[in-house]
């Protein structure tokens, strides 16, 4: 077997294919293929370990890919397998992160709330937002103040 065929076998093995699938792609006999693999292992040319599908899925999740359909397509797995691997390794999406960066209008609303001169309805009319939004901002400010006082 040529060196290019051997390097192809190694690259296919590292990509996750089984030896049976590789043998079919290389199109050599079973005995010749087994002898070649045995010789490559003896010479240290053939890696003995590789990442499992589970390790690849977890690595994809940790680098930021959260869509199980995309991970399944990338590695040729079923979505059920991807979800199982993620569940077994306690890789959960978790809560969405909150956006604490506010626009100038929101900052102005918070300032008016802290001053306490205007009512919530007047603040809502002044900035063209709902009273519910003003209440939400008020609760956020109160919660933020409570957490910072305890520090």
């Amino acid at each position: 077997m040529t060196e290019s065929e051997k390097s192809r076998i190694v690259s296919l093995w590292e990509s996750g294919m089984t030896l049976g699938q590789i043998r079919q792609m290389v199109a050599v006999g079973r005995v010749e293929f087994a002898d070649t693999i045995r010789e490559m292992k003896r010479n240290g040319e053939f890696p003995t370990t590789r990442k499992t599908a589970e390790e690849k899925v977890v690595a994809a999740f940790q680098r930021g890919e959260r869509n199980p359909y995309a991970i399944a397509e990338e590695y040729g797995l079923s979505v059920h397998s991807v979800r199982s691997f993620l569940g077994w390794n306690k890789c959960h999406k978790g809560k969405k992160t909150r956006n604490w960066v506010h626009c100038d209008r929101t900052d102005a609303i918070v300032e008016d709330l802290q001053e306490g001169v205007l009512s919530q309805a007047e603040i809502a009319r002044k900035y063209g937002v709902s009273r519910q939004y003003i209440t939400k901002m008020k609760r956020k400010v109160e919660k933020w103040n409570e957490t910072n006082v305890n520090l």
Side-chain angles (χ1 to χ4, degrees), residues 37-99:
I37 296 296
R38 197 174 306 112
E39 178 188 329
M40 288 173 67
K41 285 182 178 178
R42 242 183 282 129
N43 296 337
E45 301 172 41
F46 195 81
T48 56
T49 60
R50 64 178 173 175
K51 280 189 167 183
T52 63
E54 183 175 352
E55 291 170 342
K56 290 178 184 178
V57 167
V58 171
F61 183 86
Q62 289 173 345
R63 73 171 180 262
E65 182 60 61
R66 297 293 192 254
N67 185 351
Y69 292 94
I71 296 173
E73 186 175 326
E74 181 180 348
Y75 295 113
L77 301 168
S78 69
V79 177
H80 176 76
S81 296
V82 170
R83 287 186 174 147
S84 296
F85 293 153
L86 293 175
W88 296 338
N89 290 283
K90 296 179 180 30
C91 297
H92 303 289
K93 288 183 182 179
K95 292 183 179 179
K96 291 184 179 179
T97 58
R98 302 288 185 204
N99 180 11

Side-chain angles (χ1 to χ4, degrees), residues 118-138:
L118 299 173
S119 69
Q120 289 184 23
E122 292 170 335
I123 295 172
R125 270 187 247 113
K126 178 179 176 181
Y127 294 102
V129 296
S130 66
R131 288 177 295 137
Q132 290 85 354
Y133 181 74
I134 301 299
T135 303
K136 182 179 177 180
M137 288 294 105
K138 181 180 176 189

Side-chain angles (χ1 to χ4, degrees), residues 22-47:
I22 295 171
R23 186 178 63 82
Q24 289 175 352
M25 290 186 72
V26 176
V28 295
R30 186 175 51 86
V31 175
E32 181 185 352
F33 184 77
D35 290 342
T36 304
I37 296 296
R38 197 174 306 112
E39 178 188 329
M40 288 173 67
K41 285 182 178 178
R42 242 183 282 129
N43 296 337
E45 301 172 41
F46 195 81

